Amino acid sequence: MQARGEMILYYNPENGAPARQTALMKSVFVRMGVRIRNVRPEEVNETVGYLAGLKGFEKREADDSAGQKTGSEEALPKISEQVLVLKGFSGGRLDQLLASLRRAGVPKIDLKAVLTEHNSGWTFYHLYEEIREEHASMTGEQGT
């Protein structure tokens, strides 16, 4: 059923969305034949391209550019909100996905992005910062 190569990278922070909400959302993805990739907190320094399984993107080295170990808790940036990154969706399928989530009663997830050639080389955390900033400017909310 998943002939389109559609995938969703889903980040749910610790103490984030309730299990029932997550199960509802994932059931919509499964019914639509969309592959789900859960992004774990220890993966936020990986590139979005790597997490989405794009060719040419490999797991990052253990050291970050400042020479700190990315595997240590102190070096990992924290994401406090749910994030969806969508890969391979046409406009119509994206509309269908969002409508299906609404019909299923899944609360709106504010931080969503589409995987692009431009952002695929960014770390997941960098993409999160960009979409959080964009959302805040569009809604008039102050960043945290």
Side-chain angles (χ1 to χ4, degrees):
M1 183 174 188
Q2 184 216 346
R4 295 174 179 86
E6 297 166 337
M7 172 190 273
I8 293 180
L9 300 178
Y10 174 59
Y11 183 87
N12 187 23
E14 192 174 315
N15 302 320
R20 184 182 184 302
Q21 175 185 330
T22 302
L24 269 176
M25 180 179 56
K26 288 184 177 184
S27 72
V28 169
F29 300 161
V30 169
R31 280 194 308 272
M32 289 184 64
V34 176
R35 196 166 143 227
I36 307 157
R37 164 74 155 82
N38 292 307
V39 178
R40 299 182 316 268
E42 62 271 16
E43 295 177 308
V44 298
N45 285 331
E46 294 294 341
T47 64
V48 181
Y50 168 75
L51 294 171
L54 297 180
K55 289 184 175 149
F57 289 91
E58 297 180 4
K59 187 167 180 60
R60 296 184 70 196
E61 293 296 319
D63 289 341
D64 67 12
S65 59
Q68 297 177 317
K69 295 290 182 193
T70 57
S72 71
E73 282 299 311
E74 301 80 39
L76 288 173
K78 301 288 185 219
I79 297 177
S80 59
E81 301 158 273
Q82 291 182 88
V83 180
L84 291 178
V85 179
L86 300 100
K87 172 191 165 203
F89 283 81
S90 67
R93 280 287 284 179
L94 180 56
D95 291 343
Q96 181 185 359
L97 173 70
L98 297 176
S100 295
L101 290 170
R102 277 191 303 274
R103 276 194 307 275
V106 176
K108 183 179 176 195
I109 295 175
D110 292 327
L111 303 183
K112 295 183 282 294
V114 173
L115 181 66
T116 66
E117 184 178 315
H118 178 70
N119 66 23
S120 60
W122 295 356
T123 65
F124 191 85
Y125 186 78
H126 180 194
L127 180 58
Y128 158 72
E129 287 181 310
E130 292 287 329
I131 57 180
R132 185 184 71 187
E133 184 177 304
E134 182 178 304
H135 176 73
S137 69
M138 288 181 3
T139 61
E141 295 176 10
Q142 294 295 317
T144 55

